[in-house]
Amino acid sequence: ETGVTQSPTHLIKTRGQQVTLRCSSQSGHNTVSWYQQALGQGPQFIFQYYREEENGRGNFPPRFSGLQFPNYSSELNVNALELDDSALYLCASSYLGGAGNYGYTFGSGTRLTVV
Amino acid sequence: KNEVEQSPQNLTAQEGEFITINCSYSVGISALHWLQQHPGGGIVSLFMLSSGKKKHGRLIATINIQEKHSSLHITASHPRDSAVYICAVSLYNTDKLIFGTGTRLQVFP
């Protein structure tokens, strides 16, 4: 098992800038999900990528976008950053098969601060 | 009302105490997950349940599908158990995860 690696671990950006966060997928997994966790709150689902396509999206505006690559790693892009985007961004890889989504493995997160 | 509710929000205990954290949900699920989050932010999956009970070391998780309720128990608690424990459910029709807000546990020596 390689686990899930997120980069960078910490990031400070200015309001209005754009940011790209990265997430590797655990070996054998085919799905990556992204979550935003504000301080003191539970994670909120942003979107999920399966086989390089978006496979569900939470209540986040279009300036949150993503990509999944052939090796199942993924990027989260946020344009026109707002102060409220400051949060911990978590990704999780899993295996989506006929019987459902299994083996959720989480990364350590990227803490984004928007100033 | 949140679809996943946890109680208590905060919990303090003395080393050795038996701890119970509760989770109730209001949606149809395919599975329920118990997760542990340490101050650094990383999340570790403890259990994935769709019925009954699972045990791993000092941790026990139970689920009652009819009552839409799950509990996480920690026996003989230890200061290293101090963390935030999060309940999350996989939605039945989408398998997306919905998270509770977490229970912050502090175990003192």
Side-chain angles (χ1 to χ4, degrees), chain A residues 82-100:
Chain A
E82 301 177 0
L83 297 179
D84 285 350
D85 296 334
S86 296
L88 179 70
Y89 288 85
L90 292 160
C91 80
S93 74
S94 58
Y95 179 78
L96 179 59

Side-chain angles (χ1 to χ4, degrees), chain B residues 16-51:
Chain B
E17 285 186 4
F18 180 82
I19 287 160
T20 296
I21 300 170
N22 295 298
C23 175
S24 296
Y25 54 93
S26 58
V27 291
I29 71 169
S30 57
L32 182 142
H33 307 257
W34 280 103
L35 310 166
Q36 181 191 56
Q37 186 172 33
H38 280 282
I43 288 180
V44 174
S45 180
L46 300 174
F47 295 104
M48 177 174 149
L49 293 162
S50 54
S51 65

Side-chain angles (χ1 to χ4, degrees), chain B residues 13-17 19 36 38-39 58 74 76-83 85 105-109:
Chain B
Q14 288 296 125
E15 184 172 357
E17 285 186 4
I19 287 160
Q36 181 191 56
H38 280 282
R58 295 180 294 105
I74 305 175
S77 60
H78 190 276
R80 65 174 174 265
D81 297 328
S82 299
Y85 291 84
L105 170 66
Q106 289 184 294
V107 182
F108 293 98

Side-chain angles (χ1 to χ4, degrees), chain B residues 58-106:
Chain B
R58 295 180 294 105
L59 301 178
I60 303 166
T62 64
I63 187 168
N64 185 317
I65 297 293
Q66 286 72 31
E67 294 185 5
K68 296 190 171 182
H69 181 268
S70 175
S71 294
L72 176 69
H73 306 285
I74 305 175
T75 61
S77 60
H78 190 276
R80 65 174 174 265
D81 297 328
S82 299
V84 175
Y85 291 84
I86 301 174
C87 169
V89 299
S90 297
L91 293 183
Y92 181 73
N93 56 346
T94 68
D95 285 319
K96 305 303 182 289
L97 288 184
I98 296 180
F99 294 78
T101 54
T103 295
R104 184 173 299 277
L105 170 66
Q106 289 184 294

